[in-house]
Amino acid sequence: MDNNNRLSFPSSILEEGSEKKTVVTRFRSESDAPRRLLNHRHSRPLSLIRSEMEGKPLNRPRTDSTLKSLLSLKNRGHVQVTRPIYNHVEFDELHGNDANTERRPTLQTVQTMVQAGCGCSADCAKKFFWNRVPCLGIMKSYKWKEWLSGDLIAGLTVGIMQLPQGMAYALLANLPPIYGLYVSFFPALIYFIFGTSRHINVGTFAVICLMVGEVVERNTVDFKPSTSNTASNNPMLVNFGNMTGSQNVTYNNITGNPNGEIDIKPSSEEILFKVGIATGVALFTGLWQLVMGACRFGFVTIYLGDPLVSGFTTGAAVHVLTSQIKYIFGIKIQRFSGILKIPKTYKEIFMHIGETNPAAVITAAICILMLVVVKEVINPKVKPKIKAPVPIELIVVVLGTIVSYFGKFETEFNVLTVGDIPTGIPAPQIPGGGNLGNFGIIIDSFAIAVVAFAISVSMGKLLAEKQNLVIKPNQELIAFGFANVFGSFFNCFPCCASLSRSLVQENVGGKTQLASVLSCILILIVLLALGPLFESLPNAVLASIILVALKGMFMQFKELKRLWSICKYDFAIWLITWLAVVLLGVDLGLAIGVGFSLLTVVFRTQRPAVNLFGRVPHTDIYRSINQYKSAREITGIKIINFMSALYYANAEHFRSKVYSLSEANPLKIKAARMKMEKKNEMKIKEQIKNGEVDMKEIKLMNGHKSKEPEQNHLLDVEKATSSKSIPLTRRQSSSSQCHLHHIIIDCSLMGYIDSVGVKVFFQGDQGVQGHRSDCLSVQH
C-alpha cells in the first residue's frame, strides 16, 4: 500500500501495545469508505474500537440497540481535518470580519433611511399605489376561465354559511342579529380592495364578537333611560324600535330595578346606546390598526405565540358558552361583568333553573342534534362528492323559522325570537353615539385590534402557504384598519377573519377575494328583501349554532398533553392564560397572558443551562459530561458552555455557575490564601521567637540579603511568610483544584453581551487563565 494514500487515526488509537494497529486508507469516495475499511485485513475489530471509545469492557452483552449502533458505525467513513491554530484577532484579520469595520455615524444612517423612504419618482409612486391596492394586481392577472367557477361556488357556499353565523354572532356582541349581517357585508368589500390574502373570509368571529360584547356590556351599566319624549321624536330611535318591536325593557339592579331581572329584549333607546358603543369600538380599532400599519408594526403578532392564542381562544369559548345558556334554557338572568363573571353567571343560572322554558330547550336540543349529526357524520362522506359541505346552519335556520312561525312559539310558548328586522342599507352616520371621548373604549379597542389582526394574519398565512402565496402583515393592518373605520359609519362592530368560513372558502375551490364579493351579494339580497322572513326565528336556534361551532375551540384542550411533553413553559402559558381569561375576563386575561408569556422569556434566559463539557475519546467532539457518559474532562482544563445571551439578568448566574463548575471561586481562593498566609506568618514568628529559625535562612528564602537586618527584621519576616505561604497554599489546594490552569468559556450560543455581561465576563482571575471560544464582538 502506498504511504501517500494512508490516513492515520490519532496516536491514542494507534497504541503500541495493541495486537493489531489500525491503519485506515484514504478513500477515493465516501461510498467506498465502509467497504475498504471493513475489508482491510490489518484493521482492528470495530467492536474493540467502539468499546475503547465508550470506556466499556468487551464482554458486555450486546443488545439490539448496541448492534444497531455498531452497524451504523460500520457504514460511516472517517474524516481528518488539518488547519492552522488561530486566535480570534488573527482569524478576523485574515478572513475579513465586517463586524469590526468602522460603522457610519447614526445621524448619517438615519438621513440615508429617510431619503430612501421619502424619495419620490414616477416608478416609486406607481409601486406604492399597486402595493396599497393589491386587488388591481390580482384582478389584472385573474384567470377567468380557470378561477371564476371556483370563486362562484365558494362565494355561494360561504354566503349561505355567513347568513346564520352573522346573525348568531351578533348576539355575542349584545346587539340585534341584523348587525351581524352588516359586519358581514361592508368590511368584506373594503378588504377585497386593500387585503393581500386571497382566501380568508372577513366578517364576524366568535372571539372578537365576545370582546366587543364585553365592552358594550361594561359601558351599558352606566346607561340610564331618557324620561322625556326625545326618544319618540328621534327618527333614528324609531328605526331601532321597528327592529325590536314594541317590547319594553325591565332593568336589573344595576340600573335601578329592585326585581333584579333583565329582559333580553332591551328598548330601542338602549339599543341605540349599545350600537354607539360598538361603532365607537370599531372606529378606534380601525384607527389603531391604521397607525400600526403606517408604523410597520406588523411584527407585533410575534408576541402572541401559539400557546397564548390557543389558551386565550379556549378561555373565550367558555365565555361564549356561558353567554348562550340563557337562550338555550329560555331564562332571564342578571347581567355581570368584570372579575369572576363566569362563576357569578353560573350561580345565577342555577338559581333560575326552575324557570326553564321547555319549548326553548327542546328546540335547542333538536337543532344541536341535527348540526352534530350532519357535521360529524354526513359531511365527511358527502363533501368529497359534492366538493362542498351541506349548509346545515342555513337549513336549521330556515326550518326553525318555519316551525316557529306556524307554531306561534313567541305567543303560545313564550319563546324569545329575533323580532322585527329592518330592510335596506343603513344610512351612514358618525360612529360612537357621543362616546368617542371614553378613554376606556380607546384602550379596549387596542386589545381588540391586536387580537383580530393576529387571528386574521395567522389564518391568512396558513392558507397562503398551501397555495405557495405570501401575505404582507403591514398591508393587512391597513386593510383591516380601513375596513373597520369604513364599517363603523354603517353600524358595524369590529370585523375579523372567520376560521371556519375561510377554510371552507379555500377547500371548495376559492381562488381570490372575488368569492367574498359574491358572498356579499347574497347578504345584500337578504338585507334588501329577505330580512323580515327571519323575524320568527327563535334565539335558541342561533344559540345552538354558536355552541356547535365552539367544538373546535374546546378541542384545543388536547394541546395540553403535547405542550407538557415538549415545553413546560408553553404548558404554563396556555394554562395561565386560560385561567386568567375565564376568571378575570377576556381583556384582563389577555393582558395577563401576554405579560406572563414575556416573563417566561426572562425566566428562560435568567437561569439558562450551563454545562461542563468533556471530550469524547478519540474524537475532537466535545459534549456535556452529564449527558454523555463517554465524555471525559481534560486534566487542568474546564470547558464551560453557557446556553444564552449574557446580560444583566443572568450575569450573576453565569458567574456563580462558572465558579461552581470550575471549583475556582476567586474570592474563596483569595480568602484561603490570606488565611494560610496568616497562619504561616504566626508559625514563623513563633519559630523565630523560639530560635528554631535563623534570620540568615529567612533572607536566603527571600532571595536577597538585608542591608539593615535589625531595622528590616519585621519586613523580612513578612516577605518570608509571603514567599512560603503561596506555594503552601497551592499544594494544599491542588487536590481540590486538580491543577486547574485554564478555563474555556464556549460563547457560541451567546447572541449578545451587554455592559454588565462584559464586566462579569472579563473579570480578573486568581491564578487561572481564561479563554473565550466563539465569542462575538461586543456591539456598543
Side-chain angles (χ1 to χ4, degrees):
M1 185 182 299
D2 186 6
N3 291 332
N4 295 329
N5 199 33
R6 292 183 179 179
L7 177 64
S8 298
F9 276 165
S11 58
S12 57
I13 298 181
L14 295 175
E15 301 172 2
E16 294 295 338
S18 60
E19 298 179 358
K20 300 178 181 179
K21 294 183 178 180
T22 304
V23 179
V24 183
T25 305
R26 178 169 297 159
F27 311 118
R28 296 187 182 93
S29 63
E30 188 174 353
S31 60
D32 191 36
R35 177 178 58 82
R36 298 191 63 180
L37 175 61
L38 296 176
N39 293 338
H40 199 286
R41 62 178 182 174
H42 296 295
S43 62
R44 178 181 298 183
L46 194 57
S47 59
L48 178 60
I49 297 176
R50 177 71 173 179
S51 300
E52 289 180 355
M53 292 178 65
E54 296 181 350
K56 298 179 181 179
L58 281 173
N59 56 358
R60 63 183 176 89
R62 291 185 176 181
T63 61
D64 294 339
S65 61
T66 304
L67 293 176
K68 291 180 180 179
S69 299
L70 290 174
L71 291 175
S72 63
L73 186 60
K74 289 180 181 180
N75 295 328
R76 297 176 185 172
H78 296 264
V79 177
Q80 184 182 34
V81 178
T82 303
R83 67 169 178 83
I85 299 177
Y86 298 104
N87 60 36
H88 195 76
V89 176
E90 292 174 348
F91 186 83
D92 288 348
E93 292 178 354
L94 182 62
H95 297 284
N97 184 6
D98 294 335
N100 293 329
T101 58
E102 184 178 356
R103 294 183 298 173
R104 293 187 301 175
T106 304
L107 181 59
Q108 184 179 354
T109 304
V110 172
Q111 290 177 350
T112 304
M113 294 176 60
V114 171
Q115 291 175 359
C118 298
C120 185
S121 62
D123 294 337
C124 180
K126 181 179 179 181
K127 182 179 179 181
F128 178 84
F129 179 75
W130 283 86
N131 288 335
R132 290 296 172 265
V133 189
C135 70
L136 297 179
I138 295 175
M139 298 309 298
K140 181 179 180 181
S141 60
Y142 191 86
K143 301 178 181 179
W144 292 93
K145 294 183 179 180
E146 301 177 11
W147 294 355
L148 183 59
S149 59
D151 284 340
L152 181 61
I153 296 174
L156 294 176
T157 304
V158 173
I160 291 173
M161 292 179 60
Q162 206 165 17
L163 288 173
Q165 288 187 6
M167 299 173 67
Y169 289 158
L171 299 179
L172 297 178
N174 286 318
L175 296 175
I178 189 63
Y179 292 94
L181 297 183
Y182 294 157
V183 177
S184 301
F185 177 73
F186 292 103
L189 294 177
I190 302 301
Y191 184 84
F192 165 76
I193 300 173
F194 298 102
T196 60
S197 175
R198 301 190 180 192
H199 300 96
I200 64 172
N201 182 266
V202 177
T204 56
F205 182 61
V207 174
I208 302 302
C209 293
L210 177 67
M211 296 181 71
V212 175
E214 290 279 341
V215 180
V216 171
E217 187 173 339
R218 191 185 310 117
N219 287 274
T220 307
V221 171
D222 300 329
F223 170 75
K224 294 182 180 180
S226 175
T227 57
S228 62
N229 294 327
T230 305
S232 59
N233 296 329
N234 192 329
M236 186 180 299
L237 294 180
V238 173
N239 186 23
F240 283 108
N242 292 335
M243 292 184 197
T244 56
S246 59
Q247 298 291 336
N248 294 324
V249 64
T250 305
Y251 296 98
N252 58 9
N253 289 335
I254 298 176
T255 55
N257 192 336
N259 296 330
E261 294 181 352
I262 177 172
D263 196 341
I264 302 179
K265 274 188 175 181
S267 66
S268 58
E269 187 178 1
E270 184 176 358
I271 290 178
L272 177 63
F273 184 83
K274 288 183 176 182
V275 171
I277 297 294
T279 55
V281 172
L283 176 63
F284 286 119
T285 298
L287 293 177
W288 278 118
Q289 290 173 335
L290 287 174
V291 171
M292 289 190 293
C295 297
R296 307 185 67 83
F297 281 176
F299 64 88
V300 71
T301 56
I302 64 177
Y303 296 105
L304 301 180
D306 290 343
L308 187 146
V309 173
S310 178
F312 170 74
T313 54
T314 308
V318 177
H319 283 270
V320 174
L321 173 65
T322 304
S323 66
Q324 300 305 302
I325 291 180
K326 61 185 178 183
Y327 298 116
I328 297 295
F329 289 94
I331 58 178
K332 301 175 182 179
I333 61 174
Q334 181 178 342
R335 293 180 301 193
F336 298 96
S337 61
I339 299 175
L340 299 179
K341 171 186 175 181
I342 297 295
K344 293 177 182 178
T345 302
Y346 278 107
K347 178 183 177 181
E348 187 76 7
I349 290 173
F350 285 116
M351 291 177 61
H352 293 80
I353 197 69
E355 304 171 4
T356 301
N357 189 330
V361 174
I362 295 174
T363 301
I366 294 175
C367 293
I368 291 175
L369 181 63
M370 292 177 59
L371 290 167
V372 171
V373 170
V374 173
K375 286 191 171 186
E376 301 296 328
V377 180
I378 298 177
N379 268 344
K381 298 179 180 180
V382 176
K383 187 177 177 180
K385 299 179 181 179
I386 62 176
K387 297 183 179 181
V390 177
I392 184 60
E393 291 94 346
L394 183 62
I395 294 175
V396 167
V397 167
V398 173
L399 292 178
T401 303
I402 294 174
V403 173
S404 174
Y405 177 78
F406 289 102
K408 300 180 179 180
F409 278 19
E410 185 175 13
T411 57
E412 297 293 334
F413 302 102
N414 198 25
V415 174
L416 188 65
T417 59
V418 171
D420 296 338
I421 298 179
T423 58
I425 297 177
Q429 56 185 338
I430 298 176
N435 297 289
L436 296 180
N438 191 330
F439 185 74
I441 294 179
I442 299 175
I443 301 301
D444 292 330
S445 299
F446 178 76
I448 295 175
V450 174
V451 174
F453 172 66
I455 294 173
S456 302
V457 169
S458 299
M459 194 68 214
K461 287 182 177 180
L462 177 64
L463 298 177
E465 289 175 358
K466 292 183 178 181
Q467 305 293 335
N468 295 324
L469 299 173
V470 178
I471 67 171
K472 300 176 181 179
N474 293 316
Q475 179 62 27
E476 287 293 293
L477 276 171
I478 294 175
F480 278 100
F482 279 131
N484 283 316
V485 170
F486 181 82
S488 66
F489 287 88
F490 292 91
N491 294 336
C492 294
F493 52 85
C495 63
C496 180
S498 169
L499 305 184
S500 59
R501 297 195 302 271
S502 298
L503 288 173
V504 170
Q505 181 169 317
E506 193 269 338
N507 290 334
V508 299
K511 298 298 182 181
T512 64
Q513 282 296 325
L514 187 61
S516 297
V517 176
L518 297 175
S519 299
C520 291
I521 294 175
L522 184 60
I523 295 173
L524 181 62
I525 295 174
V526 175
L527 291 175
L528 295 177
L530 303 181
L533 298 179
F534 295 100
E535 293 177 356
S536 300
L537 175 64
N539 282 356
V541 175
L542 298 178
S544 302
I545 295 175
I546 294 175
L547 293 187
V548 175
L550 294 177
K551 177 202 169 187
M553 293 186 182
F554 283 114
M555 293 298 289
Q556 294 178 130
F557 275 108
K558 293 183 177 180
E559 293 187 11
L560 287 174
K561 183 178 179 180
R562 182 181 65 88
L563 293 176
W564 178 263
S565 60
I566 295 176
C567 180
K568 303 298 187 298
Y569 282 108
D570 288 346
F571 176 87
I573 291 172
W574 197 104
L575 195 60
I576 293 296
T577 304
W578 181 82
L579 288 174
V581 170
V582 171
L583 298 178
L584 305 180
V586 177
D587 48 358
L588 187 58
L590 176 63
I592 292 176
V594 173
F596 182 77
S597 178
L598 296 177
L599 195 60
T600 59
V601 178
V602 178
F603 289 157
R604 300 183 207 200
T605 58
Q606 186 176 3
R607 299 187 65 85
V610 184
N611 299 312
L612 190 61
F613 273 20
R615 178 173 173 266
V616 178
H618 313 301
T619 69
D620 60 348
I621 300 174
Y622 294 84
R623 290 293 183 269
S624 173
I625 60 175
N626 294 328
Q627 297 179 359
Y628 293 85
K629 297 180 180 179
S630 61
R632 297 289 182 266
E633 289 189 66
I634 302 175
T635 304
I637 299 177
K638 296 290 184 178
I639 305 175
I640 299 175
N641 172 259
F642 190 70
M643 303 183 67
S644 174
L646 183 59
Y647 68 113
Y648 67 94
N650 59 20
E652 188 60 33
H653 174 69
F654 169 77
R655 184 195 346 232
S656 61
K657 279 295 185 179
V658 170
Y659 290 170
S660 62
L661 292 177
S662 63
E663 300 178 358
N665 190 330
L667 300 178
K668 292 183 178 179
I669 294 176
K670 185 177 181 179
R673 286 182 177 178
M674 293 179 64
K675 182 178 180 181
M676 186 59 62
E677 288 174 1
K678 186 175 181 180
K679 182 178 180 181
N680 291 341
E681 181 182 352
M682 296 298 295
K683 184 177 180 180
I684 293 176
K685 286 182 179 181
E686 184 179 355
Q687 290 176 351
I688 293 174
K689 184 178 180 181
N690 297 332
E692 298 177 2
V693 179
D694 190 5
M695 291 299 300
K696 294 181 179 181
E697 184 178 342
I698 296 177
K699 292 176 181 180
L700 291 174
M701 192 182 309
N702 288 330
H704 67 279
K705 294 182 179 181
S706 175
K707 296 181 180 180
E708 299 178 357
E710 294 181 356
Q711 297 178 359
N712 298 331
H713 176 76
L714 183 59
L715 180 60
D716 290 338
V717 171
E718 293 177 353
K719 290 183 177 180
T721 303
S722 178
S723 63
K724 292 184 66 176
S725 63
I726 294 178
L728 192 61
T729 303
R730 289 177 179 172
R731 285 198 302 268
Q732 292 187 356
S733 63
S734 61
S735 59
S736 61
Q737 297 299 326
C738 298
H739 303 286
L740 179 64
H741 50 79
H742 283 81
I743 297 177
I744 300 176
I745 308 296
D746 180 13
C747 308
S748 58
L749 297 179
M750 292 186 183
Y752 64 92
I753 305 176
D754 69 353
S755 59
V756 179
V758 171
K759 181 178 178 181
V760 173
F761 197 82
F762 292 98
Q763 278 185 344
D765 43 67
Q766 299 291 324
V768 179
Q769 188 175 2
H771 290 275
R772 290 90 186 173
S773 170
D774 284 338
C775 185
L776 299 177
S777 301
V778 180
Q779 301 295 333
H780 300 282

